[in-house]
Amino acid sequence: QLTGGAGADDFVLASAVGSDTITDFLTGTDDIAVRRAVFGIGDGDLLLEGARTRAGPGNFDTAAELVIFTANQGALTADAAATAIGSANAAYAVGDDRLFVIDNGTSSAVFLFTASDANAQVSAAELTLLATLTGTASTAVADYLLVA
C-alpha cells in the first residue's frame, strides 16, 4: 500500500511482482512513474508516445504506449479491462508492452499489457495489474511518465 504526503507525489511502479494499492492519488497533482527498465514499455525511450484517452473500446494504434479508457467498468479486473480495451487498429508484435488504464467511477486500475501473440485483440491473459488507485475515479495522460 502506497500513501503520499501533502502536495505533489511521485508513485513509482518498479516491481513486476504483485501489484500496488495507491490510497491517495490526486490526478493533476501526483504522478505515476513507471520504471521503463522493469516493464519495457514501448520503443525504449522515456517518452509515452501516442498516449490517448478513449471513451469506448478499440480504435487506438498499437504504437500508443498508454491508453486510458474512461467508460466506467463494474470491476477492476483483467477480464473487465480486456472488455473495456477491445482491439487495436492493427496487430501487436509478440512481446510488445503497453500500459492500459480503466476505472469504475470510484477507483482506477493500471495494467501492463504484454502481447502473447501477433493479433490486435487484448485478452485478460495478456494483462497484469500493476496498481489500483483507490478513490481515484479517473486519471489523465499527464499523470503518467516513464522513468529509467
Side-chain angles (χ1 to χ4, degrees), residues 31-111:
D31 290 318
I32 301 290
V34 180
R35 283 251 186 252
R36 167 79 181 78
V38 174
F39 298 110
I41 306 300
D43 61 4
D45 62 23
L46 296 180
L47 301 174
L48 274 173
E49 290 143 336
R52 65 189 59 251
T53 301
R54 301 277 314 129
N59 199 25
F60 57 90
D61 294 330
T62 57
E65 296 175 356
L66 167 69
V67 184
I68 300 171
F69 294 88
T70 60
N72 295 343
Q73 300 302 305
L76 298 177
T77 64
D79 286 330
T83 299
I85 296 163
S87 297
N89 292 340
Y92 285 101
V94 173
D96 278 354
D97 291 315
R98 303 293 187 263
L99 293 173
F100 291 115
V101 181
I102 66 168
D103 71 77
N104 64 6
T106 303
S107 297
S108 298
V110 181
F111 287 89

Side-chain angles (χ1 to χ4, degrees), residues 1-56:
Q1 184 167 316
L2 304 172
T3 303
D9 298 303
D10 289 335
F11 295 99
V12 180
L13 304 181
S15 175
V17 178
S19 68
D20 291 312
T21 299
I22 300 172
T23 61
D24 66 341
F25 186 85
L26 183 59
T27 190
T29 300
D30 296 332
D31 290 318
I32 301 290
V34 180
R35 283 251 186 252
R36 167 79 181 78
V38 174
F39 298 110
I41 306 300
D43 61 4
D45 62 23
L46 296 180
L47 301 174
L48 274 173
E49 290 143 336
R52 65 189 59 251
T53 301
R54 301 277 314 129

